[in-house]
Amino acid sequence: MLYATNCRISSEESQVIRWVDSHGQKYPYPWTPHFPKASSISHMAHLCSQVLSTSFFTPKPQIPVLLSPGVACIKSFHQYRFLHIKAMQEDKFSTPTSCDESKVRVPHVLTVAGSDSGAGAGIQADIKACAARGVYCSTVITAVTAQNTAGVQGVNVVPEDFVAEQLRSVLSDMPPNVVKTGMLPSTGIVKTLCQSLKEFPVQALVVDPVMVSTSGHTLAGPSILDSFREELLPMADIVTPNLKEASALLGGVPLETIADMRSAAKAIHDIGPRNVLVKGGDLPASLDAVDVFYDGNDFYEFRSSRIMTPNTHGTGCTLASTVAAELAKGSQMLSAVKVAKRYVEAVLSYSKNIAIGGGCQGPMDHLLKLKSNVQRRPFDPCDLFLYAVTDSRMNKKWGRSIVDAVKAAIEGGASIIQLREKEVETGGFLEAAKACLKICRVHGVPLLINDRIDVALASDADGIHIGQSDMPAHVARALLGPDKIIGVSCKTPEHAQQAWIDGADYIGSGGVYPTNTKENNKTIGLDGLKTVCVSSKLPVVAIGGIGMSNAQAVMRLGVPNLKGVAVVSALFDRECVTTETRKLLEVLKESTKIAN
Ligand SMILES: Cc1ncc(COP(=O)(O)OP(=O)(O)O)c(N)n1
Ligand SMILES: Cc1nc(C(=O)O)sc1CCOP(=O)(O)O
Ligand SMILES: [Mg+2]
């Protein structure tokens, strides 16, 4: 075990003054590496871990690396885990008792802010932004507001001692990486927060100096300005005022130009925060939205074209929370701000047309989902009835495009389509998938992609079909989310059981008969199919060598979860796909009549 101690983190560079082993002895490498700027202890830990994997340390010391004060970094299986331990005094070390390798560190932001009943801003926006950015968000509520898209109807401030109690509950038990503040409605609450942060220091403090709601309602009066200036801002790693707030912090100076914003950023920096982001969204007569970032040395302008939308409620909270979330993940300040800006722009753009509430300022959709107006109907096992699987070689042989093949199969009555295009290049495959999807959507026929989850994601296809040697279904499920259709090829009851556990929607089972379409494919026969069907908790589609002559035999197996047949050559290695599909559909319909 190796400890990095007396780490210095400055705005210029970061340094490990001393490396020692677990007995407190100096490590026999007289080297104190100079890193690039580390924004935080966790970033420092990351840099240390990188150093350890370089050739400077040979033989490599045993990990973990313990960083004073109070963060241990463990690298295992390419994952960094940070564990908070008791703060240590310089040169005194204790082995972290809570180093449990099986536990994964979750980046954590604590937001200290007001509740917005309309959920566009405040605590609710903070939770959504952190969730969208993959960060855990705990909350200390400073005020409860009655608020909607028309404005703020009421504010109920939480008593100071109860804010203190919430802070103690969170900070003493589940130390966050970063604290982000929003509405702090009284001087007492500001002081309570500063006191708590002195008692329980965190890696970074992000201050969104909320004063007036977007609808013009005062959320924190001028009386708190002194406590902001004297106590909170000097502790902040970044403060993110809009023009009105920046002006208020500076005693009411008018801010009308980008030059004014730069001067304001510098003047606010002089109050004490390490970084300042002055947001220029309200800048008069400006076409672009320009924010000015100042880190005490350099100015950076973030310029983006304005997104014309009424749904801007909560942008400030969202931006600050996202900066906090990125810092919690270990980003440096400048990249945290860049990512946060990009995220807010994306959210604004996705949410620009959503309609929630009758007022003039709507909320955003932090999870970027509401914009998608594709109403995907849930997967219905009956879709498997006549499952048409395309084949690039057959399309080529008959001089058809993928799109023409799909159109023809749908015209003939196929109930689900799979694009199995093994020989097509990615770009062409994606374009074909998008074109096929349009046609499938019009006809209400689900479109699945064989093997290629990247193409399925990029085209927003309805799902994928994967085999035993493709990406594991549980990984595909994690990537595709809960709604998309996943089919898995299964030849045995064990495969079927695993597909069910992994979150598949159906299984394809075969080869029922020998096939020339798939090389070296094991034939399991009707008996094998029946065995799989009987054991499967998922609906089954039969595949392999199925056509007009044997489809009835398959369907007459009489197992209720066998829902249909998947066919390649009997449809696509023919002159007229539509005719063949129609004929097979009739055969299948006949078989169900006979069975009933
Ligand atoms: C419906 C259906 N069932 C089985 C398969 C075969 O999938 P897989 O085993 O991954 O083989 P390839 O199709 O990728 O060669 C399928 N495609 N569709
Ligand atoms: C793609 C595929 N998978 C199979 C399996 O057994 O999992 S058989 C097969 C090919 C099916 O083509 P045809 O309908 O032309 O026989
Ligand atoms: Mg496959």
Side-chain angles (χ1 to χ4, degrees):
M1 192 183 296
L2 188 75
Y3 300 95
T5 181
N6 295 3
C7 304
R8 283 190 188 155
I9 301 174
S10 76
S11 58
E12 287 312 311
E13 64 177 13
S14 314
Q15 221 181 351
V16 173
I17 304 299
R18 192 180 300 158
W19 300 84
V20 294
D21 68 16
S22 50
H23 307 294
Q25 298 300 312
K26 277 188 194 163
Y27 199 72
Y29 287 88
W31 184 60
T32 56
H34 293 256
F35 301 133
K37 287 180 194 177
S39 59
S40 61
I41 284 281
S42 71
H43 183 218
M44 183 76 171
H46 178 76
L47 293 172
C48 285
S49 304
Q50 281 178 332
V51 168
L52 287 182
S53 54
T54 67
S55 54
F56 281 100
F57 285 104
T58 314
K60 304 242 176 303
Q62 290 301 301
I63 45 183
V65 181
L66 184 63
L67 294 161
S68 71
V71 177
C73 168
I74 296 173
K75 185 183 172 219
S76 64
F77 303 110
H78 310 293
Q79 255 189 322
Y80 297 98
R81 295 175 184 155
F82 301 96
L83 298 164
H84 286 265
I85 59 158
K86 269 200 201 142
M88 294 174 299
Q89 289 170 355
E90 276 194 0
D91 290 335
K92 291 217 175 116
F93 305 101
S94 59
T95 308
T97 48
S98 58
C99 273
D100 181 347
E101 281 264 349
S102 64
K103 295 207 169 130
V104 177
R105 169 196 177 255
V106 178
H108 173 186
V109 168
L110 162 64
T111 172
V112 182
S115 157
D116 168 2
S117 54
I123 287 280
Q124 289 82 353
D126 297 345
I127 295 173
K128 285 186 272 186
C130 285
R133 304 299 309 158
V135 170
Y136 186 81
C137 183
S138 56
T139 58
V140 165
I141 299 183
T142 57
V144 179
T145 70
Q147 190 170 173
N148 57 21
T149 60
V152 181
Q153 290 80 45
V155 176
N156 206 333
V157 174
V158 173
E160 212 175 293
D161 55 356
F162 198 66
V163 172
E165 193 165 341
Q166 295 176 68
L167 281 164
R168 208 171 310 115
S169 294
V170 177
L171 292 169
S172 64
D173 174 53
M174 40 198 299
N177 302 95
V178 179
V179 167
K180 177 256 160 189
T181 70
M183 178 180 176
L184 301 174
S186 72
T187 305
I189 288 177
V190 177
K191 286 181 185 296
T192 300
L193 171 64
C194 293
Q195 193 47 47
S196 303
L197 289 174
K198 281 176 195 150
E199 206 179 320
F200 299 100
V202 291
Q203 282 167 37
L205 172 64
V206 175
V207 174
D208 181 17
V210 173
M211 290 176 202
V212 181
S213 75
T214 25
S215 58
H217 196 101
T218 300
L219 298 173
S223 59
I224 60 146
L225 283 173
D226 283 346
S227 57
F228 268 19
R229 282 190 287 249
E230 284 157 24
E231 303 204 35
L232 189 62
L233 294 199
M235 295 177 77
D237 289 278
I238 183 167
V239 58
T240 62
N242 59 27
L243 289 183
K244 280 189 200 133
E245 290 155 353
S247 169
L249 285 170
L250 297 173
V253 293
L255 299 176
E256 283 158 6
T257 63
I258 293 173
D260 292 344
M261 289 167 69
R262 282 174 164 247
S263 310
K266 201 163 190 319
I268 293 170
H269 187 267
D270 289 342
I271 299 174
R274 250 77 60 226
N275 300 276
V276 182
L277 180 71
V278 179
K279 298 172 293 187
D282 300 329
L283 208 59
S286 98
L287 283 177
D288 287 347
V290 180
D291 295 348
V292 170
F293 176 77
Y294 181 61
D295 65 6
N297 291 314
D298 299 309
F299 286 98
Y300 300 84
E301 275 177 26
F302 295 108
R303 203 172 272 272
S304 54
S305 42
R306 249 169 226 285
I307 296 159
M308 303 313 281
T309 171
N311 300 326
T312 57
H313 183 46
T315 38
C317 308
T318 303
L319 183 82
S321 293
T322 311
V323 170
E326 296 308 307
L327 292 175
K329 287 191 253 179
S331 287
Q332 296 201 49
M333 186 59 80
L334 184 60
S335 45
V337 171
K338 270 192 213 157
V339 168
K341 286 275 307 161
R342 242 185 276 143
Y343 170 67
V344 172
E345 274 161 42
V347 173
L348 276 170
S349 159
Y350 269 84
S351 315
K352 68 179 180 209
N353 296 326
I354 64 172
I356 293 183
C360 58
Q361 212 173 31
M364 303 182 293
D365 173 23
H366 292 76
L367 299 174
L368 309 179
K369 283 285 189 296
L370 289 180
K371 161 121 190 309
S372 163
N373 46 17
V374 176
Q375 295 298 323
R376 214 183 297 281
R377 76 174 163 77
F379 172 64
D380 177 352
C382 295
D383 292 335
L384 300 173
F385 193 55
L386 204 180
Y387 189 144
V389 182
T390 70
D391 180 290
S392 35
R393 263 178 302 142
M394 293 173 199
N395 285 339
K396 210 166 169 189
K397 174 176 163 192
W398 292 94
R400 291 181 200 111
S401 68
I402 303 172
V403 176
D404 287 342
V406 167
K407 267 186 195 161
I410 290 180
E411 207 182 323
S415 53
I416 188 166
I417 306 280
Q418 179 189 141
L419 300 188
R420 184 175 177 273
E421 300 293 326
K422 301 278 189 189
E423 287 161 12
V424 177
E425 285 184 355
T426 304
F429 195 178
L430 178 58
E431 287 316 306
K434 284 182 184 167
C436 291
L437 198 61
K438 278 191 190 150
I439 298 158
C440 286
R441 291 260 154 87
V442 170
H443 293 88
V445 173
L447 179 80
L448 308 188
I449 306 292
N450 177 279
D451 292 354
R452 298 286 302 269
I453 195 155
D454 54 341
V455 175
L457 282 166
S459 63
D460 194 27
D462 298 304
I464 54 166
H465 187 95
I466 44 183
Q468 292 299 319
S469 53
D470 297 322
M471 177 179 291
H474 68 94
V475 179
R477 176 55 77 206
L479 290 169
L480 288 175
D483 299 328
K484 300 252 166 147
I485 303 167
I486 296 181
V488 178
S489 305
C490 298
K491 289 188 188 295
T492 66
E494 291 73 29
H495 289 167
Q497 174 65 9
Q498 192 59 49
W500 158 258
I501 291 168
D502 285 351
D505 294 293
Y506 75 88
I507 63 170
S509 192
V512 182
Y513 302 105
T515 177
N516 292 325
T517 305
K518 186 172 164 61
E519 273 178 16
N520 305 321
N521 190 50
K522 185 179 167 205
T523 303
I524 60 169
L526 283 173
D527 288 345
L529 174 65
K530 191 165 184 175
T531 308
V532 172
C533 288
V534 167
S535 76
S536 175
K537 296 192 184 73
L538 293 167
V540 184
V541 62
I543 188 165
I546 300 173
M548 234 70 72
S549 61
N550 55 20
Q552 281 201 349
V554 175
M555 294 307 283
R556 277 192 215 147
L557 264 185
V559 269
N561 60 348
L562 178 61
K563 298 295 179 191
V565 294
V567 182
V568 187
S569 51
L571 302 184
F572 295 104
D573 202 4
R574 300 285 187 276
E575 189 167 2
C576 182
V577 175
T578 307
T579 309
E580 300 305 321
T581 314
R582 238 177 234 144
K583 284 201 271 181
L584 184 59
L585 183 62
E586 286 314 309
V587 170
L588 290 172
K589 282 183 180 165
E590 265 320 295
S591 67
T592 56
K593 273 187 213 154
I594 295 165
N596 294 334

